[in-house]
Amino acid sequence: MKPLILGIESSCDDTSAAVLRGGVMLSNVIASQAIHARYGGVVPELASRAHLQNIIPVVDAALKDAGTTVADVDAVAFTRGPGLLGSLLVGLSFAKGFSLARNIPMVEVNHLQGHILSHFIDRPDVDTPHPSFPFLCLLVSGGHSQIVLVRDYLDMETVGETIDDAAGEAFDKCAKVMGLPYPGGPVVDRLASEGDPARFRLARPSVEGYNYSFSGLKTSFLYLLRDSLTLDPDFIEHNRADLCASLQNTVIEILLDKLVRAAEAYRIRDIAIAGGVSANSGLRRAVALQGERRGWRTFLPELKFTTDNAAMIALAGYHLYRAGRFSSLDVTPAARAGELS
Ligand code: KG4
Ligand code: ZN
Protein backbone atom coordinates (compact mmCIF):
# COMPACT_ATOMS: atom_id res chain seq x y z
CA MET A 1 0.00 0.00 0.00
CA LYS A 2 1.18 3.53 -0.75
CA PRO A 3 2.34 5.67 2.19
CA LEU A 4 -0.07 7.81 4.17
CA ILE A 5 1.21 11.39 4.28
CA LEU A 6 0.06 14.07 6.68
CA GLY A 7 0.66 17.55 5.22
CA ILE A 8 0.92 20.77 7.24
CA GLU A 9 0.75 24.28 5.76
CA SER A 10 1.20 27.39 7.92
CA SER A 11 3.28 29.80 5.85
CA CYS A 12 0.93 32.79 5.92
CA ASP A 13 -2.57 33.23 7.31
CA ASP A 14 -4.19 29.84 6.62
CA THR A 15 -3.68 26.89 8.93
CA SER A 16 -4.19 23.73 6.90
CA ALA A 17 -3.74 19.98 7.30
CA ALA A 18 -4.34 17.27 4.71
CA VAL A 19 -4.05 13.51 4.46
CA LEU A 20 -3.01 11.81 1.23
CA ARG A 21 -2.60 8.13 0.41
CA GLY A 22 0.17 8.32 -2.18
CA GLY A 23 -1.04 11.06 -4.52
CA VAL A 24 -4.70 10.63 -3.60
CA MET A 25 -6.26 13.24 -1.33
CA LEU A 26 -8.38 11.83 1.49
CA SER A 27 -8.91 15.11 3.35
CA ASN A 28 -7.90 18.78 3.25
CA VAL A 29 -8.93 21.07 6.09
CA ILE A 30 -8.25 24.82 6.04
CA ALA A 31 -8.81 27.28 8.89
CA SER A 32 -8.63 30.81 7.50
CA GLN A 33 -7.82 33.67 9.82
CA ALA A 34 -10.48 36.37 9.63
CA ILE A 35 -8.65 38.57 12.16
CA HIS A 36 -6.40 40.21 9.52
CA ALA A 37 -9.17 41.80 7.44
CA ARG A 38 -9.67 44.64 9.90
CA TYR A 39 -5.98 45.61 9.63
CA GLY A 40 -5.98 45.62 5.82
CA GLY A 41 -3.24 42.98 5.64
CA VAL A 42 -1.71 40.02 7.45
CA VAL A 43 -0.33 40.89 10.88
CA PRO A 44 2.50 38.36 11.44
CA GLU A 45 2.25 38.21 15.23
CA LEU A 46 -1.51 37.59 15.12
CA ALA A 47 -1.03 34.99 12.39
CA SER A 48 1.40 32.88 14.41
CA ARG A 49 -0.85 33.07 17.46
CA ALA A 50 -3.86 31.91 15.44
CA HIS A 51 -1.79 29.06 13.93
CA LEU A 52 -0.98 27.88 17.45
CA GLN A 53 -4.66 27.81 18.34
CA ASN A 54 -5.71 26.14 15.10
CA ILE A 55 -3.10 23.53 14.40
CA ILE A 56 -4.18 20.67 16.67
CA PRO A 57 -7.94 20.92 15.86
CA VAL A 58 -7.15 21.23 12.15
CA VAL A 59 -4.92 18.13 12.14
CA ASP A 60 -7.53 16.25 14.17
CA ALA A 61 -10.23 17.16 11.66
CA ALA A 62 -8.04 16.17 8.69
CA LEU A 63 -7.33 12.73 10.21
CA LYS A 64 -10.99 12.22 11.05
CA ASP A 65 -12.19 13.31 7.57
CA ALA A 66 -9.73 10.86 6.04
CA GLY A 67 -11.01 8.04 8.24
CA THR A 68 -7.52 7.52 9.66
CA THR A 69 -5.77 7.89 12.99
CA VAL A 70 -2.42 9.22 14.14
CA ALA A 71 -1.06 5.66 14.15
CA ASP A 72 -1.67 5.22 10.38
CA VAL A 73 0.52 8.14 9.27
CA ASP A 74 3.79 7.12 7.55
CA ALA A 75 5.38 10.57 7.19
CA VAL A 76 4.65 14.20 7.97
CA ALA A 77 5.28 16.89 5.37
CA PHE A 78 5.45 20.57 6.33
CA THR A 79 6.09 23.91 4.64
CA ARG A 80 9.62 25.04 5.46
CA GLY A 81 9.27 28.31 3.52
CA PRO A 82 9.05 30.83 2.04
CA GLY A 83 6.63 32.63 4.32
CA LEU A 84 6.32 34.40 7.66
CA LEU A 85 8.92 33.14 10.10
CA GLY A 86 6.64 32.91 13.15
CA SER A 87 3.91 31.21 11.14
CA LEU A 88 6.28 28.69 9.56
CA LEU A 89 7.69 27.92 13.00
CA VAL A 90 4.32 26.68 14.25
CA GLY A 91 3.87 24.13 11.45
CA LEU A 92 7.52 23.08 11.57
CA SER A 93 7.49 22.60 15.35
CA PHE A 94 4.29 20.59 15.11
CA ALA A 95 5.85 18.38 12.42
CA LYS A 96 8.96 17.81 14.55
CA GLY A 97 6.89 16.83 17.56
CA PHE A 98 4.68 14.54 15.50
CA SER A 99 7.65 12.88 13.81
CA LEU A 100 9.45 12.34 17.12
CA ALA A 101 6.39 11.04 18.94
CA ARG A 102 5.43 8.62 16.15
CA ASN A 103 8.99 7.79 15.12
CA ILE A 104 8.25 8.52 11.46
CA PRO A 105 10.18 10.61 8.94
CA MET A 106 9.37 14.23 8.22
CA VAL A 107 9.90 15.99 4.91
CA GLU A 108 10.30 19.72 4.32
CA VAL A 109 8.45 21.24 1.39
CA ASN A 110 9.14 24.43 -0.55
CA HIS A 111 5.77 26.23 -0.56
CA LEU A 112 6.23 27.35 -4.17
CA GLN A 113 6.90 23.80 -5.37
CA GLY A 114 3.78 22.82 -3.45
CA HIS A 115 1.65 25.30 -5.42
CA ILE A 116 3.01 23.92 -8.70
CA LEU A 117 2.47 20.30 -7.67
CA SER A 118 -1.16 21.02 -6.79
CA HIS A 119 -1.81 19.94 -10.40
CA PHE A 120 -1.03 16.35 -9.39
CA ILE A 121 -3.47 15.98 -6.50
CA ASP A 122 -5.79 13.08 -7.31
CA ARG A 123 -9.13 12.37 -5.67
CA PRO A 124 -10.78 8.98 -5.23
CA ASP A 125 -13.77 10.09 -7.33
CA VAL A 126 -12.43 12.86 -9.62
CA ASP A 127 -10.27 12.42 -12.69
CA THR A 128 -7.67 15.21 -12.57
CA PRO A 129 -5.72 15.84 -15.79
CA HIS A 130 -1.97 16.11 -15.10
CA PRO A 131 0.46 18.15 -17.17
CA SER A 132 3.27 16.13 -18.80
CA PHE A 133 6.92 16.92 -18.05
CA PRO A 134 8.45 19.20 -19.01
CA PHE A 135 5.82 21.91 -18.61
CA LEU A 136 5.79 25.60 -17.77
CA CYS A 137 3.98 26.91 -14.73
CA LEU A 138 3.05 30.52 -14.16
CA LEU A 139 3.15 30.75 -10.39
CA VAL A 140 1.34 33.85 -9.17
CA SER A 141 0.60 34.49 -5.51
CA GLY A 142 0.62 37.25 -2.94
CA GLY A 143 4.37 36.97 -2.49
CA HIS A 144 5.66 35.55 -5.77
CA SER A 145 5.35 35.82 -9.53
CA GLN A 146 7.46 33.38 -11.48
CA ILE A 147 7.63 31.31 -14.62
CA VAL A 148 8.92 27.88 -13.67
CA LEU A 149 10.19 25.17 -16.00
CA VAL A 150 9.05 21.92 -14.40
CA ARG A 151 11.15 18.97 -15.60
CA ASP A 152 9.95 16.51 -12.98
CA TYR A 153 8.18 16.47 -9.62
CA LEU A 154 11.32 17.59 -7.81
CA ASP A 155 13.27 19.14 -10.68
CA MET A 156 12.23 22.73 -11.32
CA GLU A 157 13.98 25.81 -12.64
CA THR A 158 12.77 29.39 -12.32
CA VAL A 159 13.21 30.97 -15.75
CA GLY A 160 11.74 34.35 -14.84
CA GLU A 161 10.47 36.14 -11.76
CA THR A 162 9.40 39.52 -10.51
CA ILE A 163 12.11 42.00 -9.68
CA ASP A 164 9.82 43.91 -7.28
CA ASP A 165 6.15 43.33 -6.37
CA ALA A 166 4.21 40.13 -6.96
CA ALA A 167 1.04 40.07 -9.09
CA GLY A 168 -1.09 39.45 -6.01
CA GLU A 169 0.55 42.39 -4.29
CA ALA A 170 -0.37 44.62 -7.23
CA PHE A 171 -4.00 43.59 -6.78
CA ASP A 172 -3.90 43.93 -3.00
CA LYS A 173 -2.11 47.28 -2.85
CA CYS A 174 -4.21 48.93 -5.57
CA ALA A 175 -7.36 47.61 -3.90
CA LYS A 176 -6.20 49.08 -0.62
CA VAL A 177 -5.79 52.60 -2.01
CA MET A 178 -9.32 52.30 -3.44
CA GLY A 179 -10.55 51.49 0.06
CA LEU A 180 -11.47 47.89 -0.79
CA PRO A 181 -11.15 45.14 1.83
CA TYR A 182 -8.16 42.78 2.17
CA PRO A 183 -7.28 40.63 0.30
CA GLY A 184 -8.02 42.82 -2.70
CA GLY A 185 -7.54 40.24 -5.47
CA PRO A 186 -10.93 38.53 -5.25
CA VAL A 187 -12.76 41.87 -4.82
CA VAL A 188 -11.06 43.41 -7.86
CA ASP A 189 -11.89 40.25 -9.81
CA ARG A 190 -15.59 40.61 -8.94
CA LEU A 191 -15.81 44.36 -9.65
CA ALA A 192 -13.80 44.06 -12.87
CA SER A 193 -16.55 42.00 -14.47
CA GLU A 194 -18.74 45.13 -14.56
CA GLY A 195 -16.07 47.54 -15.80
CA ASP A 196 -14.43 48.64 -19.02
CA PRO A 197 -10.88 47.25 -19.18
CA ALA A 198 -9.80 49.76 -21.85
CA ARG A 199 -10.90 52.84 -19.92
CA PHE A 200 -7.59 53.59 -18.16
CA ARG A 201 -4.13 53.06 -19.53
CA LEU A 202 -1.61 51.93 -16.93
CA ALA A 203 2.16 51.60 -17.05
CA ARG A 204 3.62 48.45 -18.57
CA PRO A 205 7.10 47.43 -17.53
CA SER A 206 10.03 46.74 -19.73
CA VAL A 207 12.27 44.24 -17.99
CA GLU A 208 14.71 41.71 -19.36
CA GLY A 209 14.09 38.09 -20.19
CA TYR A 210 11.09 36.43 -18.64
CA ASN A 211 11.15 38.62 -15.57
CA TYR A 212 8.27 40.68 -14.27
CA SER A 213 7.81 44.03 -12.57
CA PHE A 214 4.63 45.39 -11.05
CA SER A 215 5.78 48.43 -9.08
CA GLY A 216 5.44 50.85 -12.03
CA LEU A 217 1.90 49.68 -12.61
CA LYS A 218 1.12 50.30 -8.96
CA THR A 219 2.54 53.82 -9.11
CA SER A 220 0.67 54.70 -12.30
CA PHE A 221 -2.52 53.41 -10.70
CA LEU A 222 -1.98 55.60 -7.65
CA TYR A 223 -1.50 58.65 -9.91
CA LEU A 224 -4.86 57.96 -11.57
CA LEU A 225 -6.65 58.26 -8.24
CA ARG A 226 -5.16 61.57 -7.27
CA ASP A 227 -6.61 65.02 -7.32
CA SER A 228 -3.40 67.05 -7.08
CA LEU A 229 -1.70 65.56 -4.01
CA THR A 230 -4.55 63.75 -2.31
CA LEU A 231 -6.67 60.76 -3.24
CA ASP A 232 -9.98 61.70 -4.81
CA PRO A 233 -12.70 59.61 -3.13
CA ASP A 234 -15.45 60.74 -5.52
CA PHE A 235 -13.43 59.74 -8.55
CA ILE A 236 -12.70 56.35 -7.00
CA GLU A 237 -16.35 55.85 -6.05
CA HIS A 238 -17.65 56.64 -9.56
CA ASN A 239 -15.03 54.72 -11.50
CA ARG A 240 -14.45 51.71 -9.31
CA ALA A 241 -15.49 49.03 -11.81
CA ASP A 242 -13.51 50.60 -14.68
CA LEU A 243 -10.48 51.02 -12.42
CA CYS A 244 -10.65 47.37 -11.36
CA ALA A 245 -11.17 46.14 -14.92
CA SER A 246 -8.24 48.23 -16.23
CA LEU A 247 -5.98 47.09 -13.41
CA GLN A 248 -6.86 43.42 -13.85
CA ASN A 249 -6.51 43.62 -17.60
CA THR A 250 -3.04 45.17 -17.36
CA VAL A 251 -1.81 42.59 -14.83
CA ILE A 252 -3.05 39.79 -17.10
CA GLU A 253 -1.41 41.29 -20.19
CA ILE A 254 1.90 41.65 -18.38
CA LEU A 255 1.71 38.05 -17.12
CA LEU A 256 0.69 36.57 -20.48
CA ASP A 257 3.27 38.45 -22.53
CA LYS A 258 6.24 36.76 -20.81
CA LEU A 259 4.47 33.42 -20.49
CA VAL A 260 3.87 33.28 -24.25
CA ARG A 261 7.47 34.22 -24.96
CA ALA A 262 8.81 31.58 -22.57
CA ALA A 263 6.52 28.92 -24.06
CA GLU A 264 7.86 29.73 -27.53
CA ALA A 265 11.50 29.86 -26.49
CA TYR A 266 11.34 26.56 -24.61
CA ARG A 267 8.97 25.01 -27.17
CA ILE A 268 6.60 23.84 -24.50
CA ARG A 269 2.90 23.30 -24.99
CA ASP A 270 1.79 22.10 -21.58
CA ILE A 271 1.12 25.29 -19.66
CA ALA A 272 -0.14 25.47 -16.08
CA ILE A 273 -0.95 28.27 -13.68
CA ALA A 274 -0.86 28.07 -9.89
CA GLY A 275 -1.00 30.19 -6.73
CA GLY A 276 -3.63 32.50 -5.27
CA VAL A 277 -3.87 34.77 -8.33
CA SER A 278 -4.57 31.74 -10.55
CA ALA A 279 -8.10 31.97 -9.10
CA ASN A 280 -8.57 35.18 -11.09
CA SER A 281 -11.36 34.65 -13.60
CA GLY A 282 -9.85 37.01 -16.19
CA LEU A 283 -6.46 35.31 -16.00
CA ARG A 284 -8.07 31.87 -16.34
CA ARG A 285 -10.00 33.00 -19.42
CA ALA A 286 -6.93 34.64 -20.97
CA VAL A 287 -4.74 31.57 -20.46
CA ALA A 288 -7.42 29.28 -21.89
CA LEU A 289 -7.81 31.60 -24.90
CA GLN A 290 -4.07 31.73 -25.59
CA GLY A 291 -4.07 27.96 -25.29
CA GLU A 292 -6.71 27.60 -27.99
CA ARG A 293 -4.85 30.01 -30.21
CA ARG A 294 -1.44 28.44 -29.77
CA GLY A 295 -2.28 24.77 -29.43
CA TRP A 296 -1.32 24.58 -25.76
CA ARG A 297 -2.78 22.13 -23.31
CA THR A 298 -3.68 24.42 -20.43
CA PHE A 299 -4.03 23.40 -16.79
CA LEU A 300 -6.07 25.65 -14.52
CA PRO A 301 -6.19 24.43 -10.92
CA GLU A 302 -9.52 23.88 -9.23
CA LEU A 303 -10.32 27.00 -7.24
CA LYS A 304 -9.86 25.29 -3.89
CA PHE A 305 -6.29 24.40 -4.82
CA THR A 306 -5.31 27.90 -5.92
CA THR A 307 -4.87 29.41 -2.46
CA ASP A 308 -2.76 27.99 0.33
CA ASN A 309 -3.67 24.42 1.29
CA ALA A 310 -1.95 21.44 2.88
CA ALA A 311 -2.97 18.96 0.16
CA MET A 312 -0.35 20.44 -2.17
CA ILE A 313 2.25 20.23 0.62
CA ALA A 314 1.39 16.57 1.27
CA LEU A 315 1.57 15.82 -2.48
CA ALA A 316 5.05 17.36 -2.72
CA GLY A 317 5.89 15.52 0.51
CA TYR A 318 4.87 12.21 -1.04
CA HIS A 319 7.38 12.64 -3.86
CA LEU A 320 10.12 13.74 -1.46
CA TYR A 321 9.35 10.69 0.69
CA ARG A 322 9.58 8.40 -2.34
CA ALA A 323 12.96 9.94 -3.13
CA GLY A 324 14.10 9.36 0.47
CA ARG A 325 14.65 13.07 1.02
CA PHE A 326 13.91 13.29 4.73
CA SER A 327 14.59 16.25 7.00
CA SER A 328 16.69 16.17 10.11
CA LEU A 329 15.36 17.36 13.45
CA ASP A 330 17.53 20.49 13.44
CA VAL A 331 15.78 21.95 10.36
CA THR A 332 14.85 25.64 10.70
CA PRO A 333 12.21 27.67 8.81
CA ALA A 334 13.28 29.68 5.75
CA ALA A 335 11.48 32.99 5.27
CA ARG A 336 12.88 33.60 1.79
CA ALA A 337 12.86 31.31 -1.24
CA GLY A 338 16.59 31.85 -1.73
CA GLU A 339 17.36 30.01 1.51
CA LEU A 340 15.70 26.85 0.20
CA SER A 341 17.34 24.21 -1.97
O1 KG4 B 1 -1.08 31.71 -2.84
P1 KG4 B 1 -1.77 32.60 -1.89
O2 KG4 B 1 -2.99 32.08 -1.18
O3 KG4 B 1 -0.79 33.08 -0.75
C1 KG4 B 1 0.54 33.34 -0.99
O4 KG4 B 1 1.34 32.35 -0.99
O5 KG4 B 1 0.85 34.53 -1.23
O6 KG4 B 1 -2.13 33.94 -2.69
C2 KG4 B 1 -2.78 35.02 -2.11
C3 KG4 B 1 -2.94 36.11 -3.16
C4 KG4 B 1 -3.45 37.44 -2.61
O7 KG4 B 1 -2.64 38.47 -3.12
C5 KG4 B 1 -4.87 37.53 -3.19
O8 KG4 B 1 -5.32 38.84 -3.41
C6 KG4 B 1 -4.69 36.80 -4.50
O9 KG4 B 1 -3.88 35.69 -4.17
N1 KG4 B 1 -5.97 36.35 -5.08
C7 KG4 B 1 -6.50 36.83 -6.23
C8 KG4 B 1 -7.75 36.19 -6.42
N2 KG4 B 1 -7.93 35.32 -5.38
C9 KG4 B 1 -6.85 35.43 -4.57
N3 KG4 B 1 -6.02 37.75 -7.08
C10 KG4 B 1 -6.78 38.04 -8.15
N4 KG4 B 1 -7.98 37.48 -8.40
C11 KG4 B 1 -8.51 36.55 -7.57
N5 KG4 B 1 -9.69 36.00 -7.84
ZN1 ZN C 1 0.86 30.41 -1.41
Side-chain angles (χ1 to χ4, degrees):
M1 191 141 56
K2 290 192 171 162
L4 196 76
I5 312 285
L6 170 67
I8 308 287
E9 156 63 34
S10 71
S11 66
C12 190
D13 60 342
D14 294 307
T15 319
S16 179
V19 176
L20 267 68
R21 171 75 69 192
V24 179
M25 185 181 99
L26 304 180
S27 67
N28 183 39
V29 176
I30 304 174
S32 297
Q33 303 177 1
I35 180 95
H36 306 289
R38 77 172 85 146
Y39 299 100
V42 176
V43 184
E45 194 50 45
L46 294 178
S48 43
R49 233 180 280 167
H51 283 306
L52 268 178
Q53 282 168 351
N54 292 342
I55 190 126
I56 305 270
V58 163
V59 169
D60 256 347
L63 289 169
K64 220 167 264 155
D65 281 6
T68 55
T69 67
V70 164
D72 299 323
V73 178
D74 294 304
V76 54
F78 63 95
T79 303
R80 184 175 168 218
L84 301 169
L85 217 46
S87 293
L88 291 165
L89 202 51
V90 177
L92 178 146
S93 306
F94 177 87
K96 281 186 184 179
F98 197 94
S99 143
L100 260 179
R102 297 301 314 158
N103 196 23
I104 55 170
M106 58 177 188
V107 281
E108 66 199 64
V109 174
N110 175 331
H111 181 82
L112 304 177
Q113 291 197 350
H115 271 300
I116 293 167
L117 294 178
S118 63
H119 285 283
F120 296 93
I121 301 169
D122 286 323
R123 249 81 52 76
D125 47 353
V126 190
D127 210 11
T128 318
H130 298 180
S132 308
F133 301 116
F135 67 93
L136 282 180
C137 185
L138 173 68
L139 171 63
V140 272
S141 72
H144 298 272
S145 296
Q146 311 183 321
I147 298 176
V148 181
L149 174 62
V150 189
R151 295 198 188 87
D152 207 334
Y153 294 107
L154 305 175
D155 182 3
M156 305 184 188
E157 183 191 340
T158 305
V159 299
E161 64 189 320
T162 182
I163 57 167
D164 42 55
D165 288 356
E169 246 176 309
F171 278 111
D172 295 342
K173 288 178 175 171
C174 292
K176 193 170 184 173
V177 289
M178 283 190 284
L180 299 174
Y182 179 87
V187 189
V188 171
D189 191 353
R190 196 158 15 89
L191 290 169
S193 64
E194 294 151 25
D196 172 9
R199 170 87 187 284
F200 299 108
R201 186 147 177 92
L202 296 159
R204 274 143 227 259
S206 128
V207 275
E208 275 184 21
Y210 310 113
N211 289 334
Y212 289 117
S213 162
F214 289 100
S215 70
L217 163 65
K218 189 183 61 190
T219 310
S220 70
F221 191 80
L222 190 60
Y223 269 84
L224 266 184
L225 309 184
R226 283 181 5 174
D227 174 16
S228 69
L229 280 175
T230 52
L231 288 177
D232 180 348
D234 284 342
F235 175 80
I236 297 172
E237 174 74 34
H238 290 118
N239 297 285
R240 195 162 273 157
D242 289 349
L243 286 164
C244 288
S246 303
L247 168 67
Q248 176 168 303
N249 190 48
T250 312
V251 172
I252 293 168
E253 278 183 23
I254 294 171
L255 289 173
L256 263 290
D257 173 46
K258 294 294 173 81
L259 182 62
V260 166
R261 286 198 222 182
E264 280 173 0
Y266 287 90
R267 296 171 186 276
I268 286 182
R269 284 164 177 260
D270 273 22
I271 308 288
I273 59 175
V277 181
S278 70
N280 185 267
S281 60
L283 178 64
R284 294 172 80 91
R285 268 197 308 275
V287 170
L289 193 72
Q290 282 293 338
E292 279 167 30
R293 233 182 252 162
R294 295 173 186 277
W296 295 347
R297 288 204 306 163
T298 52
F299 298 86
L300 313 175
E302 265 181 65
L303 287 183
K304 67 170 169 224
F305 295 135
T306 57
T307 42
D308 293 345
N309 66 85
M312 68 188 196
I313 301 303
L315 192 283
Y318 166 54
H319 288 283
L320 288 159
Y321 178 88
R322 285 208 320 174
R325 283 168 57 177
F326 304 146
S327 298
S328 64
L329 271 175
D330 57 7
V331 62
T332 52
R336 278 177 293 276
E339 302 163 45
L340 292 157
S341 54

